[in-house]
Amino acid sequence: MLDDRKPIASGTLLAFDEKSRYTVLEEVGRGASCIVYSAYYKDLVGCRHFVRIKECCPYHMGIQRQQDGKLCVPDAYQCLFARAKEKFHRAYENHAAVKGMLGLVNSTVDAANLYEYRDTLYVVTACVEGTDYRADLDEDLKSVFTRIAALARIIKKYHAHGLLHLDIKPENMLIIPETKEHLVLFDFDSLLEKDEIKDAADERISFSDGYAAPELVGGNKKKICEAADVYSIGAVVFYKLFGRTPDALDGSVGTTYDFTNMHYHDKRYQPELFQKLSEFLHRSIAASVTYRYRTIDELQEQLKLLIRLSDLNQPFLYHNFSYRCACFAGRSLEIEQIGSIFAGGQQVLFLSGIGGIGKTELAKRYAYENESRYKKIVFVPFTDSIEKTVCGDDLRIHQMEQNEGEPDGDYFKRKLKLLKDVTSPDDLVILDNFDVEADDCLEALFACPCRFLVTTRRDFRDYNYVQKEVGRITRMEELLQLFWNYYDKVCGQEETEQVEHLIELVDRHTMTVELTAKYLRISGEPAASLLQRMMKKEGILSMTEIKVMHRKDQKLRAASINEHLLLLFDLSVFSEVERELIRSLSLLGYVRILKHKFLELCPVNGNAAALETLIHRGFVEYEDGSGKVSLHQIILDLVYNYLNPNAENCPHLVDALTAYAEQKPVNNAERSVRNRLLGNVMKRLEGAEILYAKLCLRYCQNVSNHIEYLDKAYQTCLRRTRQA
């Protein structure tokens, strides 16, 4: 057996002819039919030349090595060994033929000569400097795909000359250190002419486990074609990605590949890369020849795309969409209509409706259900203006940031110009809460070729945009499904009817239904008790009046919705800590902020537990994917207008922001984030104490030279002095 044989002893002299004497240094590899040794020889002037020596020695014949190094072949295998030597000789001839082919001279190892010695055959090849591809030589995915593209170019030349390699594997790929664009192949035992395969009916074609196509392993010679080499190339890619060769399940049609556990994983890689990489694997290591790339040309086109998508030095728009929804009920017709509008060629669609009715969730649900249609999906909350929104981090382009001292207007123009280049109709941008009457930069943004889905409380039909009104969910079954998802308690018929009345009373308003369910679950208040409170608030005397009111008033009333939400605010009895947190969060406006960062900016005792309570009750939104917290638009308005946040009732935030304004940013990106956050707060914040004056002063000194804030600081100090 293979493991029982001893290699040629180091230092043994092999005299193949009178002019060449080779000294074997060590065994460097074994295959199914041969052993490879590292060796050297001295020329006539004494210079040493390093080479590789390949010995014909099939492992499955029980060959033993005698003391003098001669191979001892059992009698039962003499005929097979003779055929193995014939095949070894033919492989050498193939090697020589390949070497002489146009375009392959520099892509194959040079075979110096064939020698017969000790009743077997030896081939001496030049020792090219490099490492075989089993080694970890790639720093990123682009490097992998670049080297595989070089391999594909070589194999394409084989196919053009009517040859199949049939033994592509990392061990047979010699990587040249100086370049990724070139490599060298060796080991041509399996090399066959395409027409020769049918004639070799009784001859077993050698292959390497893990890298050979299923038809090659099964000996199905009728199906062996160029697609067999395609499989091996795909198997090499799979090995480099996952550290193992593909199995039967990996080659099945419906397999989903987990790229989160692959080598070279990087969060900067975009979903489109993984979509195309998945397609590449499905089309290269497919078990069936029918589903595989039939030619190297097809495979090369996909490799070009993978090289481009994996290049982290090129600008690209970051995909930032993630979908985590505890419950989404109904809206199937609306989702279908959105899809039809975009399929009909529309680039921009506005979703309009009252706050809290579910526009944002509808937009997200559409994106989630149609994610496969888009290369990238970007969720962008509108912030004050289109200019500030584009300059912000939600619409992020790789390798692009605002320069030191660059005005927002200049950065907006520069970023927008690049945005037009890196987007396509296969990208979707969700512009959320665009609640202004107009913006001069809107048309410039819509000039980008991507599709836009815009949520708004405004009416933009007069601007010739396609707009879809999002109203209440009409089916009570779907609203009950939403309610039970958050209430999750068993209710009898009577309580179910009370819940239905509650839903009717709040105008079937999606957010209020959700918050009502959460309130009842957390507080333990019976549905009947809450219903009575709300009826009293509405001035309703009987259940019948609820139905009559609902039938007569088919239009959702924003004022009524606010009253219902304020009632839930009062009933929930916020603690002082919770009030300060939600007030402070409202001062940030539409900014989404990392949860831990917000807790740092509002370091009141018990802040972490209080924030979790607000999230649990549904008043604060938390995104698992990004780890950010924010207030829903309608909650934001209610808190800001009714809880009246100011410097005096948000002291921890004001104090932390004053210190934040004094810090020197590490780089321009950090400075940009700081300036936008503080600028947003300063517009919404008022105060009458020295704490507010100090923040105004630090803001003017370090962030912005707006004289109005310096004047506010002066007036505040003046009032305090007079009072003293």
Side-chain angles (χ1 to χ4, degrees):
M1 300 300 291
L2 176 63
D3 293 337
D4 296 330
R5 290 183 284 105
K6 296 179 181 179
I8 299 174
S10 297
T12 301
L13 296 180
L14 303 179
F16 293 123
D17 55 39
E18 294 180 355
K19 296 181 180 179
S20 301
R21 299 177 64 85
Y22 295 86
T23 300
V24 175
L25 300 176
E26 61 178 338
E27 178 185 317
V28 294
R30 297 193 181 200
S33 61
C34 65
I35 302 175
V36 181
Y37 305 96
S38 173
Y40 71 88
Y41 76 94
K42 291 183 179 179
D43 60 21
L44 295 177
V45 295
C47 294
R48 294 208 309 178
H49 301 270
F50 289 91
V51 296
R52 295 282 176 90
I53 297 177
K54 187 175 177 182
E55 177 186 48
C56 179
C57 184
Y59 76 88
H60 62 285
M61 297 183 185
I63 297 174
Q64 300 293 321
R65 192 179 299 279
Q66 296 179 357
Q67 191 68 29
D68 61 356
K70 183 179 180 181
L71 302 185
C72 182
V73 182
D75 293 340
Y77 289 100
Q78 287 293 334
C79 291
L80 285 177
F81 184 61
R83 292 179 62 182
K85 288 196 291 184
E86 290 176 5
K87 189 175 180 180
F88 191 85
H89 190 286
R90 187 166 62 247
Y92 168 76
E93 292 177 337
N94 286 337
H95 191 156
V98 167
K99 189 69 179 176
M101 289 177 181
L102 182 64
L104 290 172
V105 174
N106 296 323
S107 301
T108 57
V109 176
D110 188 17
N113 212 333
L114 175 72
Y115 302 94
E116 185 170 2
Y117 182 65
R118 292 172 176 163
D119 294 333
T120 189
L121 298 176
Y122 295 86
V123 170
V124 178
T125 62
C127 189
V128 180
E129 183 181 354
T131 308
D132 76 56
Y133 202 36
R134 287 173 296 183
D136 187 12
L137 302 172
D138 297 299
E139 63 276 7
D140 54 30
L141 281 180
K142 183 185 177 184
S143 175
V144 173
F145 299 138
T146 301
R147 286 202 165 104
I148 296 300
L151 170 65
R153 285 194 295 272
I154 297 173
I155 298 302
K156 180 180 178 180
K157 293 174 183 177
Y158 279 61
H159 293 178
H161 286 86
L163 297 172
L164 302 178
H165 191 285
L166 302 182
D167 197 21
I168 300 169
K169 57 184 178 180
E171 296 94 308
N172 288 345
M173 298 166 57
L174 194 66
I175 303 303
I176 310 302
E178 292 81 7
T179 178
K180 293 182 176 66
E181 306 290 339
H182 183 66
L183 55 83
V184 174
L185 288 182
F186 54 92
D187 198 344
F188 302 92
D189 289 357
S190 300
L191 199 66
L192 286 175
E193 293 185 14
K194 299 175 189 178
D195 298 335
E196 185 182 343
I197 295 174
K198 298 177 182 178
D199 300 332
D202 299 328
E203 185 176 346
R204 179 179 179 273
I205 301 174
S206 63
F207 58 85
S208 297
D209 289 334
Y211 298 99
E215 63 271 19
L216 192 57
V217 176
N220 190 348
K221 294 184 175 62
K222 292 182 179 179
K223 291 189 175 182
I224 296 175
C225 59
E226 293 180 6
D229 282 342
V230 167
Y231 181 95
S232 298
I233 294 173
V236 173
V237 173
F238 191 94
Y239 170 77
K240 299 303 291 185
L241 293 178
F242 301 109
R244 63 178 179 87
T245 54
D247 55 29
L249 183 61
D250 297 317
S252 62
V253 175
T255 296
T256 300
Y257 304 107
D258 183 8
F259 295 114
T260 59
N261 295 320
M262 72 173 184
H263 299 165
Y264 320 106
H265 182 71
D266 193 311
K267 292 182 179 179
R268 293 174 294 174
Y269 290 134
Q270 299 296 289
E272 185 185 0
L273 169 65
F274 300 118
Q275 292 170 6
K276 298 303 180 183
L277 181 52
S278 181
E279 180 183 330
F280 174 85
L281 292 176
H282 278 127
R283 297 287 308 281
S284 59
I285 61 171
S288 171
V289 176
T290 305
Y291 294 105
R292 231 176 282 158
Y293 295 120
R294 301 304 299 270
T295 66
I296 296 295
D297 286 334
E298 295 178 26
L299 180 140
Q300 283 182 306
E301 286 303 311
Q302 193 75 352
L303 282 172
K304 289 178 184 176
L305 181 58
L306 290 173
I307 290 171
R308 180 177 64 80
L309 293 175
S310 60
D311 188 352
L312 293 175
N313 292 318
Q314 294 297 316
F316 57 82
L317 178 65
Y318 274 97
H319 169 101
N320 72 354
F321 178 73
S322 61
Y323 185 77
R324 290 175 177 83
C325 181
C327 177
F328 185 88
R331 305 291 192 191
S332 56
L333 178 60
E334 289 94 330
I335 292 171
E336 184 179 339
Q337 290 171 340
I338 293 171
S340 298
I341 290 170
F342 281 137
Q346 290 296 333
Q347 183 205 1
V348 179
L349 172 62
F350 282 80
L351 297 178
S352 64
I354 190 173
I357 199 62
K359 304 181 297 295
T360 299
E361 285 306 317
L362 174 58
K364 287 183 175 180
R365 187 69 182 188
Y366 164 77
Y368 170 70
E369 293 189 8
N370 295 273
E371 200 161 4
S372 60
R373 293 188 181 184
Y374 298 101
K375 294 178 179 178
K376 298 183 184 71
I377 300 176
V378 187
F379 184 82
V380 185
F382 176 74
T383 306
D384 291 337
S385 68
I386 291 295
E387 181 179 288
K388 286 188 176 181
T389 301
V390 171
C391 290
D393 290 335
D394 289 300
L395 205 59
R396 184 181 169 202
I397 299 177
H398 184 59
Q399 299 284 35
M400 184 173 199
E401 63 179 40
Q402 195 165 2
N403 295 325
E404 185 77 28
E406 182 179 21
D408 281 354
D410 293 348
Y411 181 50
F412 168 76
K413 293 176 183 177
R414 188 165 63 88
K415 189 173 183 179
L416 199 62
K417 183 179 180 181
L418 186 56
L419 193 63
K420 292 177 183 178
D421 294 333
V422 299
T423 56
S424 74
D426 295 324
D427 301 318
L428 175 67
V429 173
I430 300 174
L431 181 60
D432 193 40
N433 292 333
F434 182 66
D435 293 328
V436 295
E437 290 186 2
D439 190 298
D440 293 339
C441 296
L442 188 62
E443 286 291 335
L445 177 62
F446 288 165
C448 295
C450 53
R451 300 190 187 277
F452 290 92
L453 187 56
V454 186
T455 68
T456 181
R457 288 186 281 186
R458 304 283 185 172
D459 191 335
F460 285 89
R461 285 172 292 190
D462 290 341
Y463 295 90
N464 294 321
Y465 291 119
V466 177
Q467 182 165 314
K468 177 172 176 52
E469 185 76 18
V470 180
R472 58 165 64 91
I473 297 175
T474 56
R475 295 184 60 196
M476 178 59 72
E477 295 83 357
E478 293 172 348
L479 288 163
L480 285 172
Q481 178 188 345
L482 179 67
F483 184 91
W484 298 134
N485 181 75
Y486 295 106
Y487 188 55
D488 67 14
K489 291 183 180 179
V490 179
C491 294
Q493 182 177 349
E494 182 179 355
E495 189 172 3
T496 299
E497 290 177 356
Q498 292 165 349
V499 169
E500 289 181 0
H501 288 311
L502 274 171
I503 292 173
E504 294 283 10
L505 191 59
V506 300
D507 290 329
R508 303 191 179 203
H509 183 258
T510 311
M511 170 170 275
T512 312
V513 170
E514 177 185 330
L515 291 176
T516 300
K518 289 179 177 179
Y519 166 74
L520 290 175
R521 185 193 71 224
I522 294 169
S523 68
E525 180 90 12
S529 174
L530 179 60
L531 180 60
Q532 290 298 322
R533 291 172 182 267
M534 284 195 171
M535 288 170 61
K536 185 177 180 180
K537 187 79 172 177
E538 289 279 353
I540 296 173
L541 302 177
S542 67
M543 298 295 184
T544 305
E545 290 186 40
I546 299 176
K547 295 180 180 179
V548 172
M549 179 197 71
H550 184 65
R551 282 198 300 270
K552 287 184 177 179
D553 187 4
Q554 293 297 318
K555 187 175 181 180
L556 287 171
R557 298 170 297 146
S560 176
I561 295 302
N562 287 349
E563 290 296 323
H564 298 147
L565 289 172
L566 282 172
L567 184 62
L568 290 175
F569 266 45
D570 293 339
L571 291 172
S572 62
V573 191
F574 288 125
S575 69
E576 287 303 316
V577 176
E578 290 165 0
R579 283 178 179 271
E580 182 173 347
L581 287 179
I582 202 166
R583 282 190 182 112
S584 299
L585 200 52
S586 77
L587 287 173
L588 302 183
Y590 295 116
V591 171
R592 293 178 299 156
I593 185 171
L594 290 169
K595 182 165 71 171
H596 71 85
K597 186 66 177 177
F598 174 67
L599 292 174
E600 290 175 7
L601 290 176
C602 199
V604 57
N605 289 335
N607 60 356
L611 184 59
E612 288 301 325
T613 299
L614 291 170
I615 293 171
H616 193 52
R617 290 177 178 174
F619 292 118
V620 172
E621 294 185 334
Y622 174 69
E623 287 185 349
D624 269 333
S626 65
K628 293 181 177 181
V629 292
S630 60
L631 293 180
H632 186 279
Q633 176 191 51
I634 194 169
I635 300 295
L636 174 64
D637 292 345
L638 284 171
V639 173
Y640 190 71
N641 292 324
Y642 291 96
L643 292 184
N644 302 314
N646 54 50
E648 285 68 53
N649 57 31
C650 298
H652 292 86
L653 177 69
V654 174
D655 190 50
L657 290 178
T658 302
Y660 186 38
E662 293 174 339
Q663 295 175 6
K664 187 175 182 179
V666 175
N667 51 46
N668 192 55
E670 190 175 293
R671 179 181 292 100
S672 179
V673 170
R674 183 200 65 172
N675 292 357
R676 288 197 179 95
L677 176 63
L678 287 170
N680 214 38
V681 172
M682 295 305 293
K683 287 181 180 179
R684 300 172 66 83
L685 182 66
E686 295 293 339
E689 301 292 338
I690 296 300
L691 188 66
Y692 175 67
K694 186 177 179 182
L695 174 59
C696 290
L697 182 61
R698 294 292 180 265
Y699 180 71
C700 289
Q701 286 177 331
N702 303 312
V703 180
S704 172
N705 58 0
H706 280 76
I707 195 68
E708 60 180 292
Y709 295 111
L710 196 60
D711 184 60
K712 286 184 177 183
Y714 172 75
Q715 293 297 333
T716 301
C717 292
L718 186 61
R719 283 195 303 270
R720 295 301 298 162
T721 302
R722 288 172 178 172
Q723 291 173 5

